mmCIF file with all atom_site columns, all heavy atoms in Angstrom:
data_model
loop_
_atom_site.group_PDB
_atom_site.id
_atom_site.type_symbol
_atom_site.label_atom_id
_atom_site.label_alt_id
_atom_site.label_comp_id
_atom_site.label_asym_id
_atom_site.label_entity_id
_atom_site.label_seq_id
_atom_site.pdbx_PDB_ins_code
_atom_site.Cartn_x
_atom_site.Cartn_y
_atom_site.Cartn_z
_atom_site.occupancy
_atom_site.B_iso_or_equiv
_atom_site.pdbx_formal_charge
_atom_site.auth_seq_id
_atom_site.auth_comp_id
_atom_site.auth_asym_id
_atom_site.auth_atom_id
_atom_site.pdbx_PDB_model_num
ATOM 1   N N   . ALA A 1 1  ? 133.173 172.947 7.015   1.00 43.00 ? 30 ALA A N   1
ATOM 2   C CA  . ALA A 1 1  ? 133.208 173.136 5.577   1.00 43.00 ? 30 ALA A CA  1
ATOM 3   C C   . ALA A 1 1  ? 133.786 171.886 4.934   1.00 43.00 ? 30 ALA A C   1
ATOM 4   O O   . ALA A 1 1  ? 134.603 171.198 5.518   1.00 43.00 ? 30 ALA A O   1
ATOM 5   C CB  . ALA A 1 1  ? 134.059 174.357 5.215   1.00 43.00 ? 30 ALA A CB  1
ATOM 6   N N   . ARG A 1 2  ? 133.348 171.557 3.753   1.00 44.00 ? 31 ARG A N   1
ATOM 7   C CA  . ARG A 1 2  ? 133.876 170.385 3.066   1.00 44.00 ? 31 ARG A CA  1
ATOM 8   C C   . ARG A 1 2  ? 134.466 170.806 1.729   1.00 44.00 ? 31 ARG A C   1
ATOM 9   O O   . ARG A 1 2  ? 134.065 171.794 1.140   1.00 44.00 ? 31 ARG A O   1
ATOM 10  C CB  . ARG A 1 2  ? 132.777 169.334 2.847   1.00 44.00 ? 31 ARG A CB  1
ATOM 11  C CG  . ARG A 1 2  ? 131.629 169.790 1.968   1.00 44.00 ? 31 ARG A CG  1
ATOM 12  C CD  . ARG A 1 2  ? 130.511 168.762 1.958   1.00 44.00 ? 31 ARG A CD  1
ATOM 13  N NE  . ARG A 1 2  ? 129.397 169.181 1.115   1.00 44.00 ? 31 ARG A NE  1
ATOM 14  C CZ  . ARG A 1 2  ? 129.282 168.876 -0.157  1.00 44.00 ? 31 ARG A CZ  1
ATOM 15  N NH1 . ARG A 1 2  ? 130.213 168.170 -0.751  1.00 44.00 ? 31 ARG A NH1 1
ATOM 16  N NH2 . ARG A 1 2  ? 128.233 169.283 -0.859  1.00 44.00 ? 31 ARG A NH2 1
ATOM 17  N N   . SER A 1 3  ? 135.434 170.024 1.271   1.00 43.00 ? 32 SER A N   1
ATOM 18  C CA  . SER A 1 3  ? 136.126 170.355 0.032   1.00 43.00 ? 32 SER A CA  1
ATOM 19  C C   . SER A 1 3  ? 135.675 169.412 -1.070  1.00 43.00 ? 32 SER A C   1
ATOM 20  O O   . SER A 1 3  ? 135.510 168.215 -0.863  1.00 43.00 ? 32 SER A O   1
ATOM 21  C CB  . SER A 1 3  ? 137.635 170.248 0.224   1.00 43.00 ? 32 SER A CB  1
ATOM 22  O OG  . SER A 1 3  ? 138.299 170.490 -0.980  1.00 43.00 ? 32 SER A OG  1
ATOM 23  N N   . LEU A 1 4  ? 135.457 169.934 -2.241  1.00 41.00 ? 33 LEU A N   1
ATOM 24  C CA  . LEU A 1 4  ? 135.066 169.146 -3.400  1.00 41.00 ? 33 LEU A CA  1
ATOM 25  C C   . LEU A 1 4  ? 135.906 169.629 -4.568  1.00 41.00 ? 33 LEU A C   1
ATOM 26  O O   . LEU A 1 4  ? 135.696 170.729 -5.063  1.00 41.00 ? 33 LEU A O   1
ATOM 27  C CB  . LEU A 1 4  ? 133.576 169.323 -3.700  1.00 41.00 ? 33 LEU A CB  1
ATOM 28  C CG  . LEU A 1 4  ? 133.015 168.527 -4.882  1.00 41.00 ? 33 LEU A CG  1
ATOM 29  C CD1 . LEU A 1 4  ? 133.151 167.029 -4.609  1.00 41.00 ? 33 LEU A CD1 1
ATOM 30  C CD2 . LEU A 1 4  ? 131.559 168.885 -5.112  1.00 41.00 ? 33 LEU A CD2 1
ATOM 31  N N   . GLY A 1 5  ? 136.857 168.791 -4.991  1.00 42.00 ? 34 GLY A N   1
ATOM 32  C CA  . GLY A 1 5  ? 137.771 169.235 -6.032  1.00 42.00 ? 34 GLY A CA  1
ATOM 33  C C   . GLY A 1 5  ? 138.586 170.389 -5.516  1.00 42.00 ? 34 GLY A C   1
ATOM 34  O O   . GLY A 1 5  ? 139.263 170.302 -4.515  1.00 42.00 ? 34 GLY A O   1
ATOM 35  N N   . GLY A 1 6  ? 138.517 171.532 -6.157  1.00 43.00 ? 35 GLY A N   1
ATOM 36  C CA  . GLY A 1 6  ? 139.234 172.713 -5.711  1.00 43.00 ? 35 GLY A CA  1
ATOM 37  C C   . GLY A 1 6  ? 138.328 173.704 -5.032  1.00 43.00 ? 35 GLY A C   1
ATOM 38  O O   . GLY A 1 6  ? 138.681 174.871 -4.900  1.00 43.00 ? 35 GLY A O   1
ATOM 39  N N   . VAL A 1 7  ? 137.128 173.264 -4.580  1.00 44.00 ? 36 VAL A N   1
ATOM 40  C CA  . VAL A 1 7  ? 136.141 174.188 -4.021  1.00 44.00 ? 36 VAL A CA  1
ATOM 41  C C   . VAL A 1 7  ? 135.774 173.759 -2.618  1.00 44.00 ? 36 VAL A C   1
ATOM 42  O O   . VAL A 1 7  ? 135.571 172.577 -2.348  1.00 44.00 ? 36 VAL A O   1
ATOM 43  C CB  . VAL A 1 7  ? 134.863 174.223 -4.900  1.00 44.00 ? 36 VAL A CB  1
ATOM 44  C CG1 . VAL A 1 7  ? 133.864 175.220 -4.339  1.00 44.00 ? 36 VAL A CG1 1
ATOM 45  C CG2 . VAL A 1 7  ? 135.217 174.556 -6.334  1.00 44.00 ? 36 VAL A CG2 1
ATOM 46  N N   . VAL A 1 8  ? 135.698 174.693 -1.690  1.00 41.00 ? 37 VAL A N   1
ATOM 47  C CA  . VAL A 1 8  ? 135.228 174.417 -0.330  1.00 41.00 ? 37 VAL A CA  1
ATOM 48  C C   . VAL A 1 8  ? 133.791 174.895 -0.218  1.00 41.00 ? 37 VAL A C   1
ATOM 49  O O   . VAL A 1 8  ? 133.482 176.046 -0.520  1.00 41.00 ? 37 VAL A O   1
ATOM 50  C CB  . VAL A 1 8  ? 136.104 175.127 0.718   1.00 41.00 ? 37 VAL A CB  1
ATOM 51  C CG1 . VAL A 1 8  ? 135.548 174.899 2.110   1.00 41.00 ? 37 VAL A CG1 1
ATOM 52  C CG2 . VAL A 1 8  ? 137.526 174.605 0.630   1.00 41.00 ? 37 VAL A CG2 1
ATOM 53  N N   . LEU A 1 9  ? 132.884 173.987 0.213   1.00 42.00 ? 38 LEU A N   1
ATOM 54  C CA  . LEU A 1 9  ? 131.456 174.278 0.275   1.00 42.00 ? 38 LEU A CA  1
ATOM 55  C C   . LEU A 1 9  ? 130.961 174.261 1.711   1.00 42.00 ? 38 LEU A C   1
ATOM 56  O O   . LEU A 1 9  ? 131.441 173.489 2.540   1.00 42.00 ? 38 LEU A O   1
ATOM 57  C CB  . LEU A 1 9  ? 130.671 173.232 -0.534  1.00 42.00 ? 38 LEU A CB  1
ATOM 58  C CG  . LEU A 1 9  ? 131.069 173.045 -2.001  1.00 42.00 ? 38 LEU A CG  1
ATOM 59  C CD1 . LEU A 1 9  ? 130.254 171.910 -2.608  1.00 42.00 ? 38 LEU A CD1 1
ATOM 60  C CD2 . LEU A 1 9  ? 130.862 174.320 -2.781  1.00 42.00 ? 38 LEU A CD2 1
ATOM 61  N N   . ASP A 1 10 ? 129.995 175.106 2.000   1.00 42.00 ? 39 ASP A N   1
ATOM 62  C CA  . ASP A 1 10 ? 129.312 175.078 3.283   1.00 42.00 ? 39 ASP A CA  1
ATOM 63  C C   . ASP A 1 10 ? 128.423 173.837 3.306   1.00 42.00 ? 39 ASP A C   1
ATOM 64  O O   . ASP A 1 10 ? 127.623 173.618 2.393   1.00 42.00 ? 39 ASP A O   1
ATOM 65  C CB  . ASP A 1 10 ? 128.459 176.334 3.460   1.00 42.00 ? 39 ASP A CB  1
ATOM 66  C CG  . ASP A 1 10 ? 127.789 176.373 4.821   1.00 42.00 ? 39 ASP A CG  1
ATOM 67  O OD1 . ASP A 1 10 ? 126.785 175.652 4.982   1.00 42.00 ? 39 ASP A OD1 1
ATOM 68  O OD2 . ASP A 1 10 ? 128.261 177.111 5.684   1.00 42.00 ? 39 ASP A OD2 1
ATOM 69  N N   . PRO A 1 11 ? 128.503 172.981 4.357   1.00 39.00 ? 40 PRO A N   1
ATOM 70  C CA  . PRO A 1 11 ? 127.758 171.725 4.350   1.00 39.00 ? 40 PRO A CA  1
ATOM 71  C C   . PRO A 1 11 ? 126.254 171.907 4.473   1.00 39.00 ? 40 PRO A C   1
ATOM 72  O O   . PRO A 1 11 ? 125.485 171.039 4.085   1.00 39.00 ? 40 PRO A O   1
ATOM 73  C CB  . PRO A 1 11 ? 128.333 170.992 5.575   1.00 39.00 ? 40 PRO A CB  1
ATOM 74  C CG  . PRO A 1 11 ? 128.790 172.081 6.476   1.00 39.00 ? 40 PRO A CG  1
ATOM 75  C CD  . PRO A 1 11 ? 129.295 173.161 5.573   1.00 39.00 ? 40 PRO A CD  1
ATOM 76  N N   . THR A 1 12 ? 125.825 173.037 5.026   1.00 40.00 ? 41 THR A N   1
ATOM 77  C CA  . THR A 1 12 ? 124.392 173.256 5.228   1.00 40.00 ? 41 THR A CA  1
ATOM 78  C C   . THR A 1 12 ? 123.727 173.848 4.000   1.00 40.00 ? 41 THR A C   1
ATOM 79  O O   . THR A 1 12 ? 122.704 173.343 3.509   1.00 40.00 ? 41 THR A O   1
ATOM 80  C CB  . THR A 1 12 ? 124.167 174.190 6.428   1.00 40.00 ? 41 THR A CB  1
ATOM 81  O OG1 . THR A 1 12 ? 124.793 173.623 7.578   1.00 40.00 ? 41 THR A OG1 1
ATOM 82  C CG2 . THR A 1 12 ? 122.689 174.363 6.687   1.00 40.00 ? 41 THR A CG2 1
ATOM 83  N N   . THR A 1 13 ? 124.325 174.898 3.471   1.00 41.00 ? 42 THR A N   1
ATOM 84  C CA  . THR A 1 13 ? 123.715 175.600 2.338   1.00 41.00 ? 42 THR A CA  1
ATOM 85  C C   . THR A 1 13 ? 124.253 175.156 0.987   1.00 41.00 ? 42 THR A C   1
ATOM 86  O O   . THR A 1 13 ? 123.632 175.410 -0.034  1.00 41.00 ? 42 THR A O   1
ATOM 87  C CB  . THR A 1 13 ? 123.949 177.111 2.471   1.00 41.00 ? 42 THR A CB  1
ATOM 88  O OG1 . THR A 1 13 ? 125.366 177.372 2.382   1.00 41.00 ? 42 THR A OG1 1
ATOM 89  C CG2 . THR A 1 13 ? 123.443 177.616 3.808   1.00 41.00 ? 42 THR A CG2 1
ATOM 90  N N   . GLY A 1 14 ? 125.434 174.507 1.001   1.00 44.00 ? 43 GLY A N   1
ATOM 91  C CA  . GLY A 1 14 ? 126.068 174.136 -0.258  1.00 44.00 ? 43 GLY A CA  1
ATOM 92  C C   . GLY A 1 14 ? 126.706 175.314 -0.958  1.00 44.00 ? 43 GLY A C   1
ATOM 93  O O   . GLY A 1 14 ? 127.213 175.199 -2.068  1.00 44.00 ? 43 GLY A O   1
ATOM 94  N N   . LYS A 1 15 ? 126.726 176.474 -0.295  1.00 44.00 ? 44 LYS A N   1
ATOM 95  C CA  . LYS A 1 15 ? 127.289 177.673 -0.893  1.00 44.00 ? 44 LYS A CA  1
ATOM 96  C C   . LYS A 1 15 ? 128.799 177.561 -0.991  1.00 44.00 ? 44 LYS A C   1
ATOM 97  O O   . LYS A 1 15 ? 129.459 177.063 -0.094  1.00 44.00 ? 44 LYS A O   1
ATOM 98  C CB  . LYS A 1 15 ? 126.915 178.903 -0.059  1.00 44.00 ? 44 LYS A CB  1
ATOM 99  C CG  . LYS A 1 15 ? 127.438 180.214 -0.615  1.00 44.00 ? 44 LYS A CG  1
ATOM 100 C CD  . LYS A 1 15 ? 127.028 181.380 0.285   1.00 44.00 ? 44 LYS A CD  1
ATOM 101 C CE  . LYS A 1 15 ? 127.589 182.694 -0.234  1.00 44.00 ? 44 LYS A CE  1
ATOM 102 N NZ  . LYS A 1 15 ? 127.220 183.832 0.639   1.00 44.00 ? 44 LYS A NZ  1
ATOM 103 N N   . GLU A 1 16 ? 129.345 178.040 -2.101  1.00 41.00 ? 45 GLU A N   1
ATOM 104 C CA  . GLU A 1 16 ? 130.788 178.010 -2.299  1.00 41.00 ? 45 GLU A CA  1
ATOM 105 C C   . GLU A 1 16 ? 131.464 179.007 -1.362  1.00 41.00 ? 45 GLU A C   1
ATOM 106 O O   . GLU A 1 16 ? 131.106 180.178 -1.300  1.00 41.00 ? 45 GLU A O   1
ATOM 107 C CB  . GLU A 1 16 ? 131.118 178.358 -3.754  1.00 41.00 ? 45 GLU A CB  1
ATOM 108 C CG  . GLU A 1 16 ? 132.604 178.370 -4.060  1.00 41.00 ? 45 GLU A CG  1
ATOM 109 C CD  . GLU A 1 16 ? 132.872 178.725 -5.513  1.00 41.00 ? 45 GLU A CD  1
ATOM 110 O OE1 . GLU A 1 16 ? 132.211 178.127 -6.391  1.00 41.00 ? 45 GLU A OE1 1
ATOM 111 O OE2 . GLU A 1 16 ? 133.717 179.591 -5.750  1.00 41.00 ? 45 GLU A OE2 1
ATOM 112 N N   . LEU A 1 17 ? 132.436 178.526 -0.581  1.00 37.00 ? 46 LEU A N   1
ATOM 113 C CA  . LEU A 1 17 ? 133.162 179.376 0.351   1.00 37.00 ? 46 LEU A CA  1
ATOM 114 C C   . LEU A 1 17 ? 134.521 179.793 -0.196  1.00 37.00 ? 46 LEU A C   1
ATOM 115 O O   . LEU A 1 17 ? 134.985 180.890 0.046   1.00 37.00 ? 46 LEU A O   1
ATOM 116 C CB  . LEU A 1 17 ? 133.361 178.645 1.680   1.00 37.00 ? 46 LEU A CB  1
ATOM 117 C CG  . LEU A 1 17 ? 132.096 178.274 2.457   1.00 37.00 ? 46 LEU A CG  1
ATOM 118 C CD1 . LEU A 1 17 ? 132.462 177.517 3.719   1.00 37.00 ? 46 LEU A CD1 1
ATOM 119 C CD2 . LEU A 1 17 ? 131.299 179.527 2.798   1.00 37.00 ? 46 LEU A CD2 1
ATOM 120 N N   . PHE A 1 18 ? 135.181 178.899 -0.901  1.00 38.00 ? 47 PHE A N   1
ATOM 121 C CA  . PHE A 1 18 ? 136.532 179.174 -1.377  1.00 38.00 ? 47 PHE A CA  1
ATOM 122 C C   . PHE A 1 18 ? 136.779 178.358 -2.632  1.00 38.00 ? 47 PHE A C   1
ATOM 123 O O   . PHE A 1 18 ? 136.421 177.196 -2.700  1.00 38.00 ? 47 PHE A O   1
ATOM 124 C CB  . PHE A 1 18 ? 137.560 178.807 -0.303  1.00 38.00 ? 47 PHE A CB  1
ATOM 125 C CG  . PHE A 1 18 ? 138.983 179.086 -0.701  1.00 38.00 ? 47 PHE A CG  1
ATOM 126 C CD1 . PHE A 1 18 ? 139.565 180.302 -0.402  1.00 38.00 ? 47 PHE A CD1 1
ATOM 127 C CD2 . PHE A 1 18 ? 139.734 178.135 -1.367  1.00 38.00 ? 47 PHE A CD2 1
ATOM 128 C CE1 . PHE A 1 18 ? 140.876 180.561 -0.756  1.00 38.00 ? 47 PHE A CE1 1
ATOM 129 C CE2 . PHE A 1 18 ? 141.040 178.382 -1.725  1.00 38.00 ? 47 PHE A CE2 1
ATOM 130 C CZ  . PHE A 1 18 ? 141.618 179.597 -1.424  1.00 38.00 ? 47 PHE A CZ  1
ATOM 131 N N   . ARG A 1 19 ? 137.393 178.959 -3.612  1.00 38.00 ? 48 ARG A N   1
ATOM 132 C CA  . ARG A 1 19 ? 137.687 178.256 -4.859  1.00 38.00 ? 48 ARG A CA  1
ATOM 133 C C   . ARG A 1 19 ? 139.154 178.433 -5.219  1.00 38.00 ? 48 ARG A C   1
ATOM 134 O O   . ARG A 1 19 ? 139.691 179.533 -5.187  1.00 38.00 ? 48 ARG A O   1
ATOM 135 C CB  . ARG A 1 19 ? 136.816 178.791 -6.001  1.00 38.00 ? 48 ARG A CB  1
ATOM 136 C CG  . ARG A 1 19 ? 137.167 178.185 -7.368  1.00 38.00 ? 48 ARG A CG  1
ATOM 137 C CD  . ARG A 1 19 ? 136.277 178.755 -8.456  1.00 38.00 ? 48 ARG A CD  1
ATOM 138 N NE  . ARG A 1 19 ? 134.895 178.332 -8.278  1.00 38.00 ? 48 ARG A NE  1
ATOM 139 C CZ  . ARG A 1 19 ? 134.406 177.221 -8.805  1.00 38.00 ? 48 ARG A CZ  1
ATOM 140 N NH1 . ARG A 1 19 ? 135.159 176.446 -9.536  1.00 38.00 ? 48 ARG A NH1 1
ATOM 141 N NH2 . ARG A 1 19 ? 133.138 176.890 -8.602  1.00 38.00 ? 48 ARG A NH2 1
ATOM 142 N N   . ALA A 1 20 ? 139.799 177.317 -5.546  1.00 39.00 ? 49 ALA A N   1
ATOM 143 C CA  . ALA A 1 20 ? 141.146 177.396 -6.105  1.00 39.00 ? 49 ALA A CA  1
ATOM 144 C C   . ALA A 1 20 ? 141.007 177.558 -7.615  1.00 39.00 ? 49 ALA A C   1
ATOM 145 O O   . ALA A 1 20 ? 140.352 176.757 -8.271  1.00 39.00 ? 49 ALA A O   1
ATOM 146 C CB  . ALA A 1 20 ? 141.925 176.116 -5.796  1.00 39.00 ? 49 ALA A CB  1
ATOM 147 N N   . LEU A 1 21 ? 141.553 178.613 -8.151  1.00 36.00 ? 50 LEU A N   1
ATOM 148 C CA  . LEU A 1 21 ? 141.411 178.862 -9.581  1.00 36.00 ? 50 LEU A CA  1
ATOM 149 C C   . LEU A 1 21 ? 142.011 177.719 -10.381 1.00 36.00 ? 50 LEU A C   1
ATOM 150 O O   . LEU A 1 21 ? 143.047 177.177 -10.019 1.00 36.00 ? 50 LEU A O   1
ATOM 151 C CB  . LEU A 1 21 ? 142.118 180.170 -9.960  1.00 36.00 ? 50 LEU A CB  1
ATOM 152 C CG  . LEU A 1 21 ? 141.574 181.432 -9.303  1.00 36.00 ? 50 LEU A CG  1
ATOM 153 C CD1 . LEU A 1 21 ? 142.340 182.632 -9.819  1.00 36.00 ? 50 LEU A CD1 1
ATOM 154 C CD2 . LEU A 1 21 ? 140.101 181.600 -9.592  1.00 36.00 ? 50 LEU A CD2 1
ATOM 155 N N   . PRO A 1 22 ? 141.400 177.316 -11.483 1.00 38.00 ? 51 PRO A N   1
ATOM 156 C CA  . PRO A 1 22 ? 141.915 176.197 -12.258 1.00 38.00 ? 51 PRO A CA  1
ATOM 157 C C   . PRO A 1 22 ? 143.136 176.592 -13.060 1.00 38.00 ? 51 PRO A C   1
ATOM 158 O O   . PRO A 1 22 ? 143.441 177.759 -13.234 1.00 38.00 ? 51 PRO A O   1
ATOM 159 C CB  . PRO A 1 22 ? 140.739 175.853 -13.179 1.00 38.00 ? 51 PRO A CB  1
ATOM 160 C CG  . PRO A 1 22 ? 140.064 177.172 -13.384 1.00 38.00 ? 51 PRO A CG  1
ATOM 161 C CD  . PRO A 1 22 ? 140.180 177.898 -12.064 1.00 38.00 ? 51 PRO A CD  1
ATOM 162 N N   . LEU A 1 23 ? 143.820 175.589 -13.552 1.00 41.00 ? 52 LEU A N   1
ATOM 163 C CA  . LEU A 1 23 ? 144.883 175.839 -14.513 1.00 41.00 ? 52 LEU A CA  1
ATOM 164 C C   . LEU A 1 23 ? 144.290 176.468 -15.760 1.00 41.00 ? 52 LEU A C   1
ATOM 165 O O   . LEU A 1 23 ? 143.102 176.339 -16.017 1.00 41.00 ? 52 LEU A O   1
ATOM 166 C CB  . LEU A 1 23 ? 145.565 174.520 -14.900 1.00 41.00 ? 52 LEU A CB  1
ATOM 167 C CG  . LEU A 1 23 ? 146.526 173.928 -13.878 1.00 41.00 ? 52 LEU A CG  1
ATOM 168 C CD1 . LEU A 1 23 ? 146.872 172.514 -14.299 1.00 41.00 ? 52 LEU A CD1 1
ATOM 169 C CD2 . LEU A 1 23 ? 147.773 174.758 -13.771 1.00 41.00 ? 52 LEU A CD2 1
ATOM 170 N N   . PRO A 1 24 ? 145.120 177.151 -16.567 1.00 39.00 ? 53 PRO A N   1
ATOM 171 C CA  . PRO A 1 24 ? 144.600 177.676 -17.828 1.00 39.00 ? 53 PRO A CA  1
ATOM 172 C C   . PRO A 1 24 ? 144.037 176.553 -18.680 1.00 39.00 ? 53 PRO A C   1
ATOM 173 O O   . PRO A 1 24 ? 144.417 175.398 -18.534 1.00 39.00 ? 53 PRO A O   1
ATOM 174 C CB  . PRO A 1 24 ? 145.834 178.311 -18.484 1.00 39.00 ? 53 PRO A CB  1
ATOM 175 C CG  . PRO A 1 24 ? 146.999 177.688 -17.788 1.00 39.00 ? 53 PRO A CG  1
ATOM 176 C CD  . PRO A 1 24 ? 146.541 177.421 -16.395 1.00 39.00 ? 53 PRO A CD  1
ATOM 177 N N   . ALA A 1 25 ? 143.125 176.897 -19.571 1.00 38.00 ? 54 ALA A N   1
ATOM 178 C CA  . ALA A 1 25 ? 142.463 175.885 -20.387 1.00 38.00 ? 54 ALA A CA  1
ATOM 179 C C   . ALA A 1 25 ? 143.437 175.125 -21.254 1.00 38.00 ? 54 ALA A C   1
ATOM 180 O O   . ALA A 1 25 ? 143.111 174.078 -21.796 1.00 38.00 ? 54 ALA A O   1
ATOM 181 C CB  . ALA A 1 25 ? 141.403 176.544 -21.262 1.00 38.00 ? 54 ALA A CB  1
ATOM 182 N N   . THR A 1 26 ? 144.662 175.636 -21.369 1.00 36.00 ? 55 THR A N   1
ATOM 183 C CA  . THR A 1 26 ? 145.652 174.982 -22.204 1.00 36.00 ? 55 THR A CA  1
ATOM 184 C C   . THR A 1 26 ? 146.310 173.798 -21.517 1.00 36.00 ? 55 THR A C   1
ATOM 185 O O   . THR A 1 26 ? 147.133 173.127 -22.098 1.00 36.00 ? 55 THR A O   1
ATOM 186 C CB  . THR A 1 26 ? 146.744 175.996 -22.585 1.00 36.00 ? 55 THR A CB  1
ATOM 187 O OG1 . THR A 1 26 ? 147.208 176.633 -21.394 1.00 36.00 ? 55 THR A OG1 1
ATOM 188 C CG2 . THR A 1 26 ? 146.189 177.045 -23.507 1.00 36.00 ? 55 THR A CG2 1
ATOM 189 N N   . ALA A 1 27 ? 145.997 173.550 -20.269 1.00 38.00 ? 56 ALA A N   1
ATOM 190 C CA  . ALA A 1 27 ? 146.613 172.427 -19.571 1.00 38.00 ? 56 ALA A CA  1
ATOM 191 C C   . ALA A 1 27 ? 145.581 171.755 -18.694 1.00 38.00 ? 56 ALA A C   1
ATOM 192 O O   . ALA A 1 27 ? 144.890 172.403 -17.930 1.00 38.00 ? 56 ALA A O   1
ATOM 193 C CB  . ALA A 1 27 ? 147.781 172.915 -18.713 1.00 38.00 ? 56 ALA A CB  1
ATOM 194 N N   . ARG A 1 28 ? 145.459 170.428 -18.818 1.00 37.00 ? 57 ARG A N   1
ATOM 195 C CA  . ARG A 1 28 ? 144.506 169.687 -18.002 1.00 37.00 ? 57 ARG A CA  1
ATOM 196 C C   . ARG A 1 28 ? 145.260 169.028 -16.851 1.00 37.00 ? 57 ARG A C   1
ATOM 197 O O   . ARG A 1 28 ? 146.374 168.586 -16.973 1.00 37.00 ? 57 ARG A O   1
ATOM 198 C CB  . ARG A 1 28 ? 143.819 168.603 -18.834 1.00 37.00 ? 57 ARG A CB  1
ATOM 199 C CG  . ARG A 1 28 ? 143.031 169.164 -19.989 1.00 37.00 ? 57 ARG A CG  1
ATOM 200 C CD  . ARG A 1 28 ? 142.104 168.136 -20.587 1.00 37.00 ? 57 ARG A CD  1
ATOM 201 N NE  . ARG A 1 28 ? 142.655 166.786 -20.592 1.00 37.00 ? 57 ARG A NE  1
ATOM 202 C CZ  . ARG A 1 28 ? 142.028 165.750 -21.126 1.00 37.00 ? 57 ARG A CZ  1
ATOM 203 N NH1 . ARG A 1 28 ? 140.858 165.919 -21.691 1.00 37.00 ? 57 ARG A NH1 1
ATOM 204 N NH2 . ARG A 1 28 ? 142.564 164.547 -21.107 1.00 37.00 ? 57 ARG A NH2 1
ATOM 205 N N   . ARG A 1 29 ? 144.582 168.947 -15.702 1.00 38.00 ? 58 ARG A N   1
ATOM 206 C CA  . ARG A 1 29 ? 145.198 168.316 -14.534 1.00 38.00 ? 58 ARG A CA  1
ATOM 207 C C   . ARG A 1 29 ? 144.105 167.960 -13.554 1.00 38.00 ? 58 ARG A C   1
ATOM 208 O O   . ARG A 1 29 ? 143.205 168.740 -13.311 1.00 38.00 ? 58 ARG A O   1
ATOM 209 C CB  . ARG A 1 29 ? 146.199 169.272 -13.886 1.00 38.00 ? 58 ARG A CB  1
ATOM 210 C CG  . ARG A 1 29 ? 146.776 168.786 -12.555 1.00 38.00 ? 58 ARG A CG  1
ATOM 211 C CD  . ARG A 1 29 ? 147.865 169.763 -12.120 1.00 38.00 ? 58 ARG A CD  1
ATOM 212 N NE  . ARG A 1 29 ? 148.336 169.466 -10.786 1.00 38.00 ? 58 ARG A NE  1
ATOM 213 C CZ  . ARG A 1 29 ? 147.873 170.070 -9.694  1.00 38.00 ? 58 ARG A CZ  1
ATOM 214 N NH1 . ARG A 1 29 ? 146.934 170.993 -9.791  1.00 38.00 ? 58 ARG A NH1 1
ATOM 215 N NH2 . ARG A 1 29 ? 148.341 169.770 -8.513  1.00 38.00 ? 58 ARG A NH2 1
#
């Protein structure tokens, strides 16, 4: 599996496996 930003993707299908929820829209990071 590979990580892109806060998301882990399956390398073959590109399907999202795991997502880290973002900060609230009130804060950018």
Side-chain angles (χ1 to χ4, degrees):
R31 62 187 180 91
S32 177
L33 181 63
V36 182
V37 176
L38 305 176
D39 183 283
T41 303
T42 64
K44 181 180 178 181
E45 179 180 312
L46 297 178
F47 181 91
R48 175 180 293 271
L50 298 182
L52 284 168
T55 51
R57 299 194 324 183
R58 173 174 172 264

